[in-house]
Amino acid sequence: MSHDTDTQDQGSVTDPNKAVDFMILNSKSFAQAKAQRVYLEEFRKSKKALLMNQCTEKAWAAKEAYAYSHPEYLELLEGIREAVRFEEALRWRLTGSQLRVEVWRSQNANNRSQDRTMR
């Protein structure tokens, strides 16, 4: 699962409209990324149980060791890592876009205040 969250162009660094557009366009992607991460985290529990049931050993500790060291379980952990990486990268891009809008608002408020002072 390879995702690129660096699609926002350099012109949006100061353009609040582009920042808002980025938030709107990526809201579904963020929701999907979070849903994927939560699903994988929950599925991890089921996968552990399935793998423990495959183990022929009787001891609980042996079954658990089998499940945790199984290639399918390790692959699932890699999937969780990628899902978290993508979700967090997108979340911080969205947070950055929100902050751009707030900075723009503050700058405009300051400009209006200065304009009133100059009159």
Side-chain angles (χ1 to χ4, degrees):
M1 174 187 336
S2 176
H3 300 285
D4 182 17
T5 59
D6 294 328
T7 57
Q8 195 173 13
D9 66 27
Q10 288 301 94
S12 63
V13 170
T14 57
D15 186 343
N17 293 312
K18 287 185 180 180
V20 170
D21 289 345
F22 178 82
M23 288 185 279
I24 292 168
L25 291 171
N26 286 281
S27 62
K28 285 184 181 178
S29 295
F30 178 73
Q32 184 176 14
K34 186 166 187 169
Q36 179 68 8
R37 181 204 27 101
V38 170
Y39 169 79
L40 288 172
E41 287 175 346
E42 294 302 315
F43 178 67
R44 177 183 55 84
K45 299 168 192 171
S46 297
K47 183 56 124 176
K48 178 185 173 189
L50 291 168
L51 292 170
M52 287 178 74
N53 285 337
Q54 288 179 6
C55 183
T56 57
E57 298 288 328
K58 296 279 186 208
W60 179 266
K63 290 179 175 285
E64 194 170 49
Y66 173 83
Y68 283 144
S69 64
H70 196 281
E72 289 178 20
Y73 189 84
L74 298 173
E75 183 179 343
L76 178 59
L77 292 178
E78 287 296 321
I80 292 171
R81 178 180 15 205
E82 176 62 15
V84 168
R85 185 203 63 78
F86 180 65
E87 178 189 354
E88 285 298 301
L90 190 51
R91 180 174 73 92
W92 285 107
R93 294 295 301 240
L94 290 167
T95 298
S97 292
Q98 290 170 336
L99 291 172
R100 284 191 186 109
V101 171
E102 290 305 315
V103 166
W104 177 82
R105 280 183 183 165
S106 294
Q107 288 171 339
N108 281 338
N110 289 342
N111 290 343
R112 285 190 301 274
S113 177
Q114 286 178 354
D115 286 349
R116 283 191 294 266
T117 303
M118 300 291 272
R119 289 183 191 171

